[in-house]
Amino acid sequence: KRKFYGTVFLRALGFKSDSEILRAFYDINEITLDKGKLLWKVGRGMKGLKLSYAINAKSGEAIVPQGRKITESLFREVLKHKVEQVEIDVTDLQGAYVAADVIDMETGEVLIEANQELTAASVSKLRDAGIDKFETFFPERDDAGNVISITLRKDPVKSQNDALLEIYRKLRPGDPPTVDTATQLFQDMFFHPR
């Protein structure tokens, strides 16, 4: 079997966390929990969706009716009316994943890890913990696709040194790797002028 080493290479380049890698490749959406409501900060990630609630201008007129697909022209109308957040239902987040670890600041507990699928139960857990904001992305709808997201979940390499050693082992299987030799090989292969 052939393994995709893109995330190992990204770790070798210096990406320290899954969240940094996800932010580099996916459109990130900010979701706010306010008095029991879910509010989506208006952004490009909304295009193509059919939301459960209408998007209204500050005057009260409907810009995007409930259940209507948000096209490019409708999205421009939303921006033109300076709508900053829109109310959504938890079902509008179907297929969304969390972009960064969500931590309960009182207990220090990680409630949801980065790159974990968002479910109604996890949103309820966030509400119960008093979390007011979190970030999401939709790998299936994004240009990057789901390859990076899936690979990050399967990849055991989580540090730069481990990534350099893994690359060295693949390129020089007979030599015992050290961080210094692995770093030198990586630098010579990808960053040396010749």
Side-chain angles (χ1 to χ4, degrees), residues 42-65:
V42 171
R44 291 186 348 211
M46 300 174 74
K47 286 190 230 173
L49 288 180
K50 293 179 182 179
L51 299 180
S52 298
Y53 297 104
I55 300 176
N56 297 320
K58 291 175 184 167
S59 64
E61 72 172 289
I63 304 168
V64 181

mmCIF file with all atom_site columns, all heavy atoms in Angstrom, residues 42-65:
data_model
loop_
_atom_site.group_PDB
_atom_site.id
_atom_site.type_symbol
_atom_site.label_atom_id
_atom_site.label_alt_id
_atom_site.label_comp_id
_atom_site.label_asym_id
_atom_site.label_entity_id
_atom_site.label_seq_id
_atom_site.pdbx_PDB_ins_code
_atom_site.Cartn_x
_atom_site.Cartn_y
_atom_site.Cartn_z
_atom_site.occupancy
_atom_site.B_iso_or_equiv
_atom_site.pdbx_formal_charge
_atom_site.auth_seq_id
_atom_site.auth_comp_id
_atom_site.auth_asym_id
_atom_site.auth_atom_id
_atom_site.pdbx_PDB_model_num
ATOM 1   N N   . VAL A 1 42 ? -20.500 35.527 8.829  1.00 0.00 ? 42 VAL A N   1
ATOM 2   C CA  . VAL A 1 42 ? -20.616 35.520 7.375  1.00 0.00 ? 42 VAL A CA  1
ATOM 3   C C   . VAL A 1 42 ? -19.234 35.379 6.749  1.00 0.00 ? 42 VAL A C   1
ATOM 4   O O   . VAL A 1 42 ? -18.305 36.117 7.084  1.00 0.00 ? 42 VAL A O   1
ATOM 5   C CB  . VAL A 1 42 ? -21.323 36.803 6.870  1.00 0.00 ? 42 VAL A CB  1
ATOM 6   C CG1 . VAL A 1 42 ? -21.258 36.904 5.360  1.00 0.00 ? 42 VAL A CG1 1
ATOM 7   C CG2 . VAL A 1 42 ? -22.768 36.821 7.346  1.00 0.00 ? 42 VAL A CG2 1
ATOM 8   N N   . GLY A 1 43 ? -19.120 34.403 5.852  1.00 0.00 ? 43 GLY A N   1
ATOM 9   C CA  . GLY A 1 43 ? -17.860 34.138 5.169  1.00 0.00 ? 43 GLY A CA  1
ATOM 10  C C   . GLY A 1 43 ? -18.084 33.258 3.956  1.00 0.00 ? 43 GLY A C   1
ATOM 11  O O   . GLY A 1 43 ? -19.188 32.764 3.708  1.00 0.00 ? 43 GLY A O   1
ATOM 12  N N   . ARG A 1 44 ? -17.008 33.041 3.211  1.00 0.00 ? 44 ARG A N   1
ATOM 13  C CA  . ARG A 1 44 ? -17.086 32.266 1.964  1.00 0.00 ? 44 ARG A CA  1
ATOM 14  C C   . ARG A 1 44 ? -17.612 30.852 2.163  1.00 0.00 ? 44 ARG A C   1
ATOM 15  O O   . ARG A 1 44 ? -18.177 30.265 1.256  1.00 0.00 ? 44 ARG A O   1
ATOM 16  C CB  . ARG A 1 44 ? -15.701 32.196 1.324  1.00 0.00 ? 44 ARG A CB  1
ATOM 17  C CG  . ARG A 1 44 ? -15.216 33.499 0.803  1.00 0.00 ? 44 ARG A CG  1
ATOM 18  C CD  . ARG A 1 44 ? -13.915 33.407 0.057  1.00 0.00 ? 44 ARG A CD  1
ATOM 19  N NE  . ARG A 1 44 ? -13.229 32.145 0.203  1.00 0.00 ? 44 ARG A NE  1
ATOM 20  C CZ  . ARG A 1 44 ? -11.919 32.008 0.176  1.00 0.00 ? 44 ARG A CZ  1
ATOM 21  N NH1 . ARG A 1 44 ? -11.160 33.038 0.032  1.00 0.00 ? 44 ARG A NH1 1
ATOM 22  N NH2 . ARG A 1 44 ? -11.361 30.825 0.279  1.00 0.00 ? 44 ARG A NH2 1
ATOM 23  N N   . GLY A 1 45 ? -17.426 30.277 3.342  1.00 0.00 ? 45 GLY A N   1
ATOM 24  C CA  . GLY A 1 45 ? -17.865 28.907 3.595  1.00 0.00 ? 45 GLY A CA  1
ATOM 25  C C   . GLY A 1 45 ? -19.369 28.718 3.506  1.00 0.00 ? 45 GLY A C   1
ATOM 26  O O   . GLY A 1 45 ? -19.859 27.597 3.453  1.00 0.00 ? 45 GLY A O   1
ATOM 27  N N   . MET A 1 46 ? -20.120 29.814 3.470  1.00 0.00 ? 46 MET A N   1
ATOM 28  C CA  . MET A 1 46 ? -21.585 29.729 3.409  1.00 0.00 ? 46 MET A CA  1
ATOM 29  C C   . MET A 1 46 ? -22.103 29.473 1.998  1.00 0.00 ? 46 MET A C   1
ATOM 30  O O   . MET A 1 46 ? -23.217 29.002 1.833  1.00 0.00 ? 46 MET A O   1
ATOM 31  C CB  . MET A 1 46 ? -22.198 31.029 3.917  1.00 0.00 ? 46 MET A CB  1
ATOM 32  C CG  . MET A 1 46 ? -21.828 31.357 5.335  1.00 0.00 ? 46 MET A CG  1
ATOM 33  S SD  . MET A 1 46 ? -22.437 32.965 5.782  1.00 0.00 ? 46 MET A SD  1
ATOM 34  C CE  . MET A 1 46 ? -24.161 32.574 5.937  1.00 0.00 ? 46 MET A CE  1
ATOM 35  N N   . LYS A 1 47 ? -21.291 29.819 1.006  1.00 0.00 ? 47 LYS A N   1
ATOM 36  C CA  . LYS A 1 47 ? -21.764 29.681 -0.375 1.00 0.00 ? 47 LYS A CA  1
ATOM 37  C C   . LYS A 1 47 ? -22.105 28.236 -0.688 1.00 0.00 ? 47 LYS A C   1
ATOM 38  O O   . LYS A 1 47 ? -21.387 27.314 -0.325 1.00 0.00 ? 47 LYS A O   1
ATOM 39  C CB  . LYS A 1 47 ? -20.687 30.160 -1.351 1.00 0.00 ? 47 LYS A CB  1
ATOM 40  C CG  . LYS A 1 47 ? -20.535 31.641 -1.393 1.00 0.00 ? 47 LYS A CG  1
ATOM 41  C CD  . LYS A 1 47 ? -19.638 32.034 -2.535 1.00 0.00 ? 47 LYS A CD  1
ATOM 42  C CE  . LYS A 1 47 ? -18.572 32.978 -2.057 1.00 0.00 ? 47 LYS A CE  1
ATOM 43  N NZ  . LYS A 1 47 ? -17.596 33.264 -3.074 1.00 0.00 ? 47 LYS A NZ  1
ATOM 44  N N   . GLY A 1 48 ? -23.231 28.047 -1.347 1.00 0.00 ? 48 GLY A N   1
ATOM 45  C CA  . GLY A 1 48 ? -23.672 26.718 -1.741 1.00 0.00 ? 48 GLY A CA  1
ATOM 46  C C   . GLY A 1 48 ? -24.564 26.028 -0.723 1.00 0.00 ? 48 GLY A C   1
ATOM 47  O O   . GLY A 1 48 ? -25.115 24.977 -0.996 1.00 0.00 ? 48 GLY A O   1
ATOM 48  N N   . LEU A 1 49 ? -24.708 26.602 0.457  1.00 0.00 ? 49 LEU A N   1
ATOM 49  C CA  . LEU A 1 49 ? -25.540 25.992 1.491  1.00 0.00 ? 49 LEU A CA  1
ATOM 50  C C   . LEU A 1 49 ? -26.989 26.431 1.390  1.00 0.00 ? 49 LEU A C   1
ATOM 51  O O   . LEU A 1 49 ? -27.289 27.500 0.876  1.00 0.00 ? 49 LEU A O   1
ATOM 52  C CB  . LEU A 1 49 ? -25.025 26.373 2.879  1.00 0.00 ? 49 LEU A CB  1
ATOM 53  C CG  . LEU A 1 49 ? -23.735 25.735 3.346  1.00 0.00 ? 49 LEU A CG  1
ATOM 54  C CD1 . LEU A 1 49 ? -23.383 26.233 4.738  1.00 0.00 ? 49 LEU A CD1 1
ATOM 55  C CD2 . LEU A 1 49 ? -23.845 24.222 3.367  1.00 0.00 ? 49 LEU A CD2 1
ATOM 56  N N   . LYS A 1 50 ? -27.861 25.600 1.933  1.00 0.00 ? 50 LYS A N   1
ATOM 57  C CA  . LYS A 1 50 ? -29.264 25.961 2.138  1.00 0.00 ? 50 LYS A CA  1
ATOM 58  C C   . LYS A 1 50 ? -29.445 25.997 3.648  1.00 0.00 ? 50 LYS A C   1
ATOM 59  O O   . LYS A 1 50 ? -29.413 24.961 4.300  1.00 0.00 ? 50 LYS A O   1
ATOM 60  C CB  . LYS A 1 50 ? -30.190 24.912 1.523  1.00 0.00 ? 50 LYS A CB  1
ATOM 61  C CG  . LYS A 1 50 ? -30.125 24.838 0.029  1.00 0.00 ? 50 LYS A CG  1
ATOM 62  C CD  . LYS A 1 50 ? -31.054 23.759 -0.485 1.00 0.00 ? 50 LYS A CD  1
ATOM 63  C CE  . LYS A 1 50 ? -30.959 23.658 -1.985 1.00 0.00 ? 50 LYS A CE  1
ATOM 64  N NZ  . LYS A 1 50 ? -31.834 22.614 -2.521 1.00 0.00 ? 50 LYS A NZ  1
ATOM 65  N N   . LEU A 1 51 ? -29.583 27.181 4.210  1.00 0.00 ? 51 LEU A N   1
ATOM 66  C CA  . LEU A 1 51 ? -29.681 27.321 5.655  1.00 0.00 ? 51 LEU A CA  1
ATOM 67  C C   . LEU A 1 51 ? -31.112 27.139 6.147  1.00 0.00 ? 51 LEU A C   1
ATOM 68  O O   . LEU A 1 51 ? -32.068 27.393 5.420  1.00 0.00 ? 51 LEU A O   1
ATOM 69  C CB  . LEU A 1 51 ? -29.142 28.687 6.085  1.00 0.00 ? 51 LEU A CB  1
ATOM 70  C CG  . LEU A 1 51 ? -27.667 28.950 5.758  1.00 0.00 ? 51 LEU A CG  1
ATOM 71  C CD1 . LEU A 1 51 ? -27.261 30.338 6.223  1.00 0.00 ? 51 LEU A CD1 1
ATOM 72  C CD2 . LEU A 1 51 ? -26.767 27.898 6.386  1.00 0.00 ? 51 LEU A CD2 1
ATOM 73  N N   . SER A 1 52 ? -31.224 26.738 7.398  1.00 0.00 ? 52 SER A N   1
ATOM 74  C CA  . SER A 1 52 ? -32.538 26.471 8.007  1.00 0.00 ? 52 SER A CA  1
ATOM 75  C C   . SER A 1 52 ? -33.314 27.733 8.334  1.00 0.00 ? 52 SER A C   1
ATOM 76  O O   . SER A 1 52 ? -34.514 27.683 8.551  1.00 0.00 ? 52 SER A O   1
ATOM 77  C CB  . SER A 1 52 ? -32.360 25.651 9.289  1.00 0.00 ? 52 SER A CB  1
ATOM 78  O OG  . SER A 1 52 ? -31.781 24.417 8.986  1.00 0.00 ? 52 SER A OG  1
ATOM 79  N N   . TYR A 1 53 ? -32.624 28.867 8.428  1.00 0.00 ? 53 TYR A N   1
ATOM 80  C CA  . TYR A 1 53 ? -33.275 30.137 8.730  1.00 0.00 ? 53 TYR A CA  1
ATOM 81  C C   . TYR A 1 53 ? -33.007 31.124 7.596  1.00 0.00 ? 53 TYR A C   1
ATOM 82  O O   . TYR A 1 53 ? -31.985 31.046 6.923  1.00 0.00 ? 53 TYR A O   1
ATOM 83  C CB  . TYR A 1 53 ? -32.734 30.730 10.038 1.00 0.00 ? 53 TYR A CB  1
ATOM 84  C CG  . TYR A 1 53 ? -33.005 29.884 11.250 1.00 0.00 ? 53 TYR A CG  1
ATOM 85  C CD1 . TYR A 1 53 ? -32.002 29.120 11.820 1.00 0.00 ? 53 TYR A CD1 1
ATOM 86  C CD2 . TYR A 1 53 ? -34.270 29.851 11.831 1.00 0.00 ? 53 TYR A CD2 1
ATOM 87  C CE1 . TYR A 1 53 ? -32.242 28.343 12.939 1.00 0.00 ? 53 TYR A CE1 1
ATOM 88  C CE2 . TYR A 1 53 ? -34.521 29.072 12.953 1.00 0.00 ? 53 TYR A CE2 1
ATOM 89  C CZ  . TYR A 1 53 ? -33.504 28.320 13.500 1.00 0.00 ? 53 TYR A CZ  1
ATOM 90  O OH  . TYR A 1 53 ? -33.746 27.546 14.602 1.00 0.00 ? 53 TYR A OH  1
ATOM 91  N N   . ALA A 1 54 ? -33.915 32.050 7.427  1.00 0.00 ? 54 ALA A N   1
ATOM 92  C CA  . ALA A 1 54 ? -33.720 33.106 6.426  1.00 0.00 ? 54 ALA A CA  1
ATOM 93  C C   . ALA A 1 54 ? -32.605 34.040 6.890  1.00 0.00 ? 54 ALA A C   1
ATOM 94  O O   . ALA A 1 54 ? -32.386 34.211 8.086  1.00 0.00 ? 54 ALA A O   1
ATOM 95  C CB  . ALA A 1 54 ? -35.012 33.895 6.236  1.00 0.00 ? 54 ALA A CB  1
ATOM 96  N N   . ILE A 1 55 ? -31.916 34.635 5.935  1.00 0.00 ? 55 ILE A N   1
ATOM 97  C CA  . ILE A 1 55 ? -30.922 35.659 6.253  1.00 0.00 ? 55 ILE A CA  1
ATOM 98  C C   . ILE A 1 55 ? -31.598 36.998 6.007  1.00 0.00 ? 55 ILE A C   1
ATOM 99  O O   . ILE A 1 55 ? -32.018 37.288 4.882  1.00 0.00 ? 55 ILE A O   1
ATOM 100 C CB  . ILE A 1 55 ? -29.660 35.518 5.389  1.00 0.00 ? 55 ILE A CB  1
ATOM 101 C CG1 . ILE A 1 55 ? -29.005 34.152 5.625  1.00 0.00 ? 55 ILE A CG1 1
ATOM 102 C CG2 . ILE A 1 55 ? -28.677 36.644 5.693  1.00 0.00 ? 55 ILE A CG2 1
ATOM 103 C CD1 . ILE A 1 55 ? -27.801 33.874 4.745  1.00 0.00 ? 55 ILE A CD1 1
ATOM 104 N N   . ASN A 1 56 ? -31.708 37.775 7.074  1.00 0.00 ? 56 ASN A N   1
ATOM 105 C CA  . ASN A 1 56 ? -32.407 39.048 6.998  1.00 0.00 ? 56 ASN A CA  1
ATOM 106 C C   . ASN A 1 56 ? -31.448 40.221 7.128  1.00 0.00 ? 56 ASN A C   1
ATOM 107 O O   . ASN A 1 56 ? -30.457 40.143 7.848  1.00 0.00 ? 56 ASN A O   1
ATOM 108 C CB  . ASN A 1 56 ? -33.456 39.148 8.112  1.00 0.00 ? 56 ASN A CB  1
ATOM 109 C CG  . ASN A 1 56 ? -34.522 38.091 7.970  1.00 0.00 ? 56 ASN A CG  1
ATOM 110 O OD1 . ASN A 1 56 ? -34.967 37.785 6.871  1.00 0.00 ? 56 ASN A OD1 1
ATOM 111 N ND2 . ASN A 1 56 ? -34.923 37.512 9.082  1.00 0.00 ? 56 ASN A ND2 1
ATOM 112 N N   . ALA A 1 57 ? -31.797 41.300 6.432  1.00 0.00 ? 57 ALA A N   1
ATOM 113 C CA  . ALA A 1 57 ? -31.055 42.553 6.576  1.00 0.00 ? 57 ALA A CA  1
ATOM 114 C C   . ALA A 1 57 ? -31.431 43.168 7.926  1.00 0.00 ? 57 ALA A C   1
ATOM 115 O O   . ALA A 1 57 ? -32.393 42.744 8.574  1.00 0.00 ? 57 ALA A O   1
ATOM 116 C CB  . ALA A 1 57 ? -31.406 43.508 5.439  1.00 0.00 ? 57 ALA A CB  1
ATOM 117 N N   . LYS A 1 58 ? -30.694 44.158 8.343  1.00 0.00 ? 58 LYS A N   1
ATOM 118 C CA  . LYS A 1 58 ? -30.983 44.824 9.620  1.00 0.00 ? 58 LYS A CA  1
ATOM 119 C C   . LYS A 1 58 ? -32.366 45.458 9.614  1.00 0.00 ? 58 LYS A C   1
ATOM 120 O O   . LYS A 1 58 ? -33.003 45.592 10.637 1.00 0.00 ? 58 LYS A O   1
ATOM 121 C CB  . LYS A 1 58 ? -29.900 45.851 9.922  1.00 0.00 ? 58 LYS A CB  1
ATOM 122 C CG  . LYS A 1 58 ? -28.573 45.190 10.229 1.00 0.00 ? 58 LYS A CG  1
ATOM 123 C CD  . LYS A 1 58 ? -27.454 46.170 10.413 1.00 0.00 ? 58 LYS A CD  1
ATOM 124 C CE  . LYS A 1 58 ? -26.174 45.377 10.612 1.00 0.00 ? 58 LYS A CE  1
ATOM 125 N NZ  . LYS A 1 58 ? -24.980 46.145 10.513 1.00 0.00 ? 58 LYS A NZ  1
ATOM 126 N N   . SER A 1 59 ? -32.849 45.802 8.434  1.00 0.00 ? 59 SER A N   1
ATOM 127 C CA  . SER A 1 59 ? -34.188 46.390 8.314  1.00 0.00 ? 59 SER A CA  1
ATOM 128 C C   . SER A 1 59 ? -35.291 45.338 8.477  1.00 0.00 ? 59 SER A C   1
ATOM 129 O O   . SER A 1 59 ? -36.457 45.677 8.623  1.00 0.00 ? 59 SER A O   1
ATOM 130 C CB  . SER A 1 59 ? -34.333 47.080 6.958  1.00 0.00 ? 59 SER A CB  1
ATOM 131 O OG  . SER A 1 59 ? -34.229 46.112 5.921  1.00 0.00 ? 59 SER A OG  1
ATOM 132 N N   . GLY A 1 60 ? -34.930 44.056 8.405  1.00 0.00 ? 60 GLY A N   1
ATOM 133 C CA  . GLY A 1 60 ? -35.912 42.995 8.566  1.00 0.00 ? 60 GLY A CA  1
ATOM 134 C C   . GLY A 1 60 ? -36.284 42.301 7.271  1.00 0.00 ? 60 GLY A C   1
ATOM 135 O O   . GLY A 1 60 ? -36.882 41.233 7.282  1.00 0.00 ? 60 GLY A O   1
ATOM 136 N N   . GLU A 1 61 ? -35.937 42.904 6.117  1.00 0.00 ? 61 GLU A N   1
ATOM 137 C CA  . GLU A 1 61 ? -36.269 42.261 4.841  1.00 0.00 ? 61 GLU A CA  1
ATOM 138 C C   . GLU A 1 61 ? -35.394 41.028 4.616  1.00 0.00 ? 61 GLU A C   1
ATOM 139 O O   . GLU A 1 61 ? -34.218 41.006 4.990  1.00 0.00 ? 61 GLU A O   1
ATOM 140 C CB  . GLU A 1 61 ? -36.100 43.248 3.672  1.00 0.00 ? 61 GLU A CB  1
ATOM 141 C CG  . GLU A 1 61 ? -34.650 43.568 3.360  1.00 0.00 ? 61 GLU A CG  1
ATOM 142 C CD  . GLU A 1 61 ? -34.455 44.379 2.108  1.00 0.00 ? 61 GLU A CD  1
ATOM 143 O OE1 . GLU A 1 61 ? -34.661 43.814 1.007  1.00 0.00 ? 61 GLU A OE1 1
ATOM 144 O OE2 . GLU A 1 61 ? -34.086 45.551 2.246  1.00 0.00 ? 61 GLU A OE2 1
ATOM 145 N N   . ALA A 1 62 ? -35.975 39.998 4.031  1.00 0.00 ? 62 ALA A N   1
ATOM 146 C CA  . ALA A 1 62 ? -35.254 38.751 3.772  1.00 0.00 ? 62 ALA A CA  1
ATOM 147 C C   . ALA A 1 62 ? -34.335 38.915 2.563  1.00 0.00 ? 62 ALA A C   1
ATOM 148 O O   . ALA A 1 62 ? -34.787 39.260 1.475  1.00 0.00 ? 62 ALA A O   1
ATOM 149 C CB  . ALA A 1 62 ? -36.233 37.618 3.543  1.00 0.00 ? 62 ALA A CB  1
ATOM 150 N N   . ILE A 1 63 ? -33.062 38.657 2.785  1.00 0.00 ? 63 ILE A N   1
ATOM 151 C CA  . ILE A 1 63 ? -32.088 38.693 1.684  1.00 0.00 ? 63 ILE A CA  1
ATOM 152 C C   . ILE A 1 63 ? -32.040 37.316 1.032  1.00 0.00 ? 63 ILE A C   1
ATOM 153 O O   . ILE A 1 63 ? -32.053 37.186 -0.186 1.00 0.00 ? 63 ILE A O   1
ATOM 154 C CB  . ILE A 1 63 ? -30.687 39.076 2.194  1.00 0.00 ? 63 ILE A CB  1
ATOM 155 C CG1 . ILE A 1 63 ? -30.720 40.406 2.932  1.00 0.00 ? 63 ILE A CG1 1
ATOM 156 C CG2 . ILE A 1 63 ? -29.689 39.118 1.054  1.00 0.00 ? 63 ILE A CG2 1
ATOM 157 C CD1 . ILE A 1 63 ? -29.462 40.709 3.708  1.00 0.00 ? 63 ILE A CD1 1
ATOM 158 N N   . VAL A 1 64 ? -31.968 36.285 1.884  1.00 0.00 ? 64 VAL A N   1
ATOM 159 C CA  . VAL A 1 64 ? -31.977 34.897 1.416  1.00 0.00 ? 64 VAL A CA  1
ATOM 160 C C   . VAL A 1 64 ? -33.098 34.188 2.162  1.00 0.00 ? 64 VAL A C   1
ATOM 161 O O   . VAL A 1 64 ? -33.039 34.042 3.383  1.00 0.00 ? 64 VAL A O   1
ATOM 162 C CB  . VAL A 1 64 ? -30.633 34.190 1.707  1.00 0.00 ? 64 VAL A CB  1
ATOM 163 C CG1 . VAL A 1 64 ? -30.664 32.756 1.183  1.00 0.00 ? 64 VAL A CG1 1
ATOM 164 C CG2 . VAL A 1 64 ? -29.460 34.944 1.110  1.00 0.00 ? 64 VAL A CG2 1
ATOM 165 N N   . PRO A 1 65 ? -34.134 33.756 1.454  1.00 0.00 ? 65 PRO A N   1
ATOM 166 C CA  . PRO A 1 65 ? -35.231 33.056 2.124  1.00 0.00 ? 65 PRO A CA  1
ATOM 167 C C   . PRO A 1 65 ? -34.766 31.730 2.734  1.00 0.00 ? 65 PRO A C   1
ATOM 168 O O   . PRO A 1 65 ? -33.782 31.142 2.283  1.00 0.00 ? 65 PRO A O   1
ATOM 169 C CB  . PRO A 1 65 ? -36.228 32.794 0.994  1.00 0.00 ? 65 PRO A CB  1
ATOM 170 C CG  . PRO A 1 65 ? -35.853 33.733 -0.102 1.00 0.00 ? 65 PRO A CG  1
ATOM 171 C CD  . PRO A 1 65 ? -34.381 33.959 0.023  1.00 0.00 ? 65 PRO A CD  1
#
